[in-house]
Every structure is written in structure tokens, then in C-alpha cells.
Amino acid sequence: MTDLNLRALRTVAEVARSGSLSRAAATLGVAQSAASRHLAEVEQALGGPLFHRTGRGVAPTPLGQDALPRLQALLAEADALTL
């Protein structure tokens, strides 16, 4: 089992929100390679791709559609704990 960190989960959430790996990286202030690595870590832990890569960005796969609401709820809980 791979340990997921909040930074990687936040990256995935931002990719979903922005629809683009490069925009997510810019918003988060990380290199695109780091954002790609975070996404790959989460995809490996969940057992498949979370996004289809298109010429215009990304779109959630069925796994992504299932995982994203749960991931966002987890991040909301983590944020509530740190307040």
C-alpha cells in the first residue's frame, strides 16, 4: 500500500479544478514535473489513471469521477483539522 500525502492529493484536486496539469502546477507554485509525479503517485495508489489526457487538457476517467468527490471530502476534513 502506498502512503498518500496531502500535497499529492491537493495536486490531483487542482488538476481536476483547472482541467490542466500545467495550470495546476502554476497555481500550486510547483514544477510541472513535480505535479506530474504527484498525480502518478495517486494514480498508482488507486490502481489506474484518474484523467484522460487530451489536446486541450484533462478530463476525469471513470475512476477519477468516483475518486474525486471522496478526495475533495478528505481534503476538506484535513483543512478543518488544521484550523
Side-chain angles (χ1 to χ4, degrees):
M1 169 108 189
T2 301
D3 290 330
L4 294 175
N5 65 63
L6 290 176
R7 180 169 290 173
L9 296 176
R10 288 187 200 291
T11 299
V12 171
E14 185 58 31
V15 170
R17 189 197 68 72
S18 68
S20 165
L21 188 61
S22 60
R23 281 195 297 270
T27 298
L28 296 169
V30 299
Q32 186 171 342
S33 60
S36 181
R37 190 169 46 255
H38 291 161
L39 177 57
E41 289 170 10
V42 176
E43 288 178 331
Q44 181 179 4
L46 298 183
L50 297 175
F51 300 99
H52 295 289
R53 277 73 169 177
T54 70
R56 301 186 67 137
V58 297
T61 63
L63 177 60
Q65 290 173 349
D66 182 51
L68 286 166
R70 298 168 72 188
L71 181 149
Q72 291 163 337
L74 177 65
L75 289 171
E77 284 294 316
D79 288 343
L81 280 172
T82 61
L83 292 179

